[in-house]
Amino acid sequence: ESKDKRQGKSKTLAVMKNRFKAHIKNTHDLNDLRIYEKTGRIPRNKLDGLRLLADELKQRIDEKLDGGLPVHDKDIRKIAIDLNRVSNYSLFHSTSASCITRWKRHNRFVSRKVTKYVTKKMVRDLEETKQKIRDLITNFVQVVKSNPGIVVVNADQMGIQKETHSTRTIARKGSRKVTMKAQSTNAMTHSLTVLPVVYLEGQQHPKMYVHLGEPTGAPPKKGCYQNPNMVVGVSKSHMMGTAAAIKFYKEVLFIPPMPKKMLLLLDSWPLFCNHVLIQSLVPPGHTVIILNFPPGGTCLAQPLDLQYNQQFKVIV
């Protein structure tokens, strides 16, 4: 039995240091021992506890962001407090504004404007689209393996404004209105359709189709810019119709020297999904296999959309 006069009470630091020289060295060690006595939990090292808390906090925030839920500083603070209360990560945890700011900076979280709102149905459809893309990739590999020497071609439409300008400029501080001159405000809202074609090797097709929308459905009176590498179509709308699609296939895509075997990657535009129409325009002696990206899959997997169209618009 202990002869210490403080029986039934916490021992002093001096007494504990004398009895357990290898383990009790300062007040922090003694406090950890008292916590273990009350809770039955072994307290973690301060830094180790904070690291574990920070890692689990990041995992929780990632789950919310991936689920499309809004997250603010007050949410981060509440989640951190709840995690620490349940798991007892650290006694020295701080949820001050500066602490939250440092945590966000370390994990590369910043405040951004919401650019798009989606519903649960859209999220479910996205998962279905990703599965369809995986199936498309499987079909693509099978076609290439079973057809040695086949040439892979990708065609995709994109809209280009007739007159483009930067949407930002230097202005005087406090200015309520910032104006900029343009040749035609109507041309800044109306576009034309460009339909480039690229090969798997990275080479661009020798000709490009451009479709104009004119009120009369005929070319402008002053005519169009002429270039041997460009085929121009005109209708009352800049949107391509059946006649424009046929013109594209006959005068741009299916022209000499056309490969004997072609694997054509197209998006889900109705006239691109009309395989009967396309096959009827294929020259004799040539084989064209068509694979269509699923609706909503263009921005996820189509080479032209990911690696060509954006750069093309920057050049324009």
Side-chain angles (χ1 to χ4, degrees):
E1 296 182 3
S2 174
K3 296 181 180 181
D4 195 333
K5 296 180 181 181
R6 295 173 54 86
Q7 287 184 5
K9 299 181 181 179
S10 297
K11 309 301 183 187
T12 63
L13 176 61
V15 171
M16 298 301 291
K17 285 179 64 176
N18 185 49
R19 292 186 178 182
F20 307 100
K21 295 180 181 179
H23 304 286
I24 307 297
K25 298 180 180 180
N26 51 46
T27 305
H28 295 299
D29 296 335
L30 186 58
N31 288 338
D32 289 345
L33 185 60
R34 288 170 178 166
I35 293 171
Y36 175 71
E37 179 185 15
K38 294 178 181 179
T39 64
R41 297 178 180 175
I42 300 176
R44 296 185 178 91
N45 176 275
K46 175 183 176 180
L47 293 179
D48 292 340
L50 290 175
R51 290 191 188 99
L52 292 172
L53 176 59
D55 291 342
E56 187 168 355
L57 179 60
K58 182 179 184 302
Q59 182 180 351
R60 292 293 184 88
I61 298 302
D62 284 336
E63 290 174 357
K64 286 186 173 294
L65 295 178
D66 293 339
L69 299 176
V71 179
H72 304 284
D73 286 0
K74 62 179 182 180
D75 302 312
I76 297 175
R77 182 177 183 275
K78 183 179 184 304
I79 294 172
I81 292 174
D82 292 342
L83 289 175
N84 196 45
R85 182 183 298 113
V86 173
S87 302
N88 191 29
Y89 283 116
S90 174
L91 294 173
F92 310 98
H93 174 59
S94 172
T95 54
S96 63
S98 59
C99 180
I100 298 298
T101 300
R102 289 195 299 271
W103 179 86
K104 291 194 299 181
R105 186 184 302 116
H106 176 75
N107 292 283
R108 300 179 63 83
F109 288 120
V110 295
S111 178
R112 294 289 302 274
K113 180 181 178 181
V114 177
T115 57
K116 185 177 181 181
Y117 289 92
V118 297
T119 62
K120 291 183 178 179
K121 180 180 181 303
M122 295 173 66
V123 174
R124 291 195 301 268
D125 292 345
L126 178 60
E127 294 303 320
E128 294 178 3
T129 300
K130 289 182 178 179
Q131 181 57 48
K132 291 179 180 178
I133 290 175
R134 289 191 284 269
D135 296 339
L136 175 67
I137 293 174
T138 301
N139 294 336
F140 172 85
V141 173
Q142 291 177 350
V143 171
V144 172
K145 286 184 176 180
S146 58
N147 294 274
I150 193 169
V151 177
V152 182
V153 180
N154 183 207
D156 185 35
Q157 302 176 78
M158 63 175 164
I160 300 291
Q161 270 68 39
K162 293 181 179 179
E163 186 174 347
T164 58
H165 291 277
S166 172
T167 57
R168 304 185 68 87
T169 183
I170 296 296
R172 298 178 182 85
K173 186 176 180 179
S175 302
R176 294 189 176 184
K177 292 184 178 180
V178 179
T179 59
M180 186 166 51
K181 290 184 178 180
Q183 292 183 353
S184 171
T185 55
N186 185 57
M188 295 178 65
T189 58
H190 289 68
S191 62
L192 51 89
T193 299
V194 179
L195 211 170
V197 179
V198 296
Y199 296 90
L200 180 63
E201 296 80 4
Q203 180 184 359
Q204 184 171 333
H205 192 68
K207 289 194 175 185
M208 178 182 291
Y209 182 79
V210 179
H211 193 78
L212 305 178
E214 295 294 331
T216 61
K221 293 181 179 180
K222 294 183 180 180
C224 298
Y225 170 74
Q226 299 294 322
N227 189 291
N229 295 328
M230 184 174 65
V231 175
V232 179
V234 183
S235 66
K236 290 186 178 182
S237 171
H238 72 279
M239 302 296 292
M240 293 177 59
T242 303
I246 294 174
K247 185 179 181 70
F248 163 72
Y249 293 126
K250 284 186 174 182
E251 300 183 23
V252 176
L253 190 58
F254 299 152
I255 59 173
M258 179 183 173
K260 291 293 183 181
K261 290 184 178 181
M262 177 187 293
L263 173 56
L264 188 55
L265 301 177
L266 302 172
D267 61 21
S268 56
W269 181 45
L271 288 175
F272 280 165
C273 293
N274 190 345
H275 295 186
V276 176
L277 173 65
I278 299 174
Q279 295 293 351
S280 67
L281 300 173
V282 176
H286 295 268
T287 302
V288 175
I289 301 174
I290 306 169
L291 292 179
N292 294 97
F293 292 95
T298 295
C299 61
L300 299 176
Q302 181 160 206
L304 261 172
D305 189 73
L306 298 174
Q307 304 295 338
Y308 184 95
N309 291 357
Q310 295 179 5
Q311 292 83 339
F312 185 90
K313 289 185 177 181
V314 169
I315 295 173
V316 172

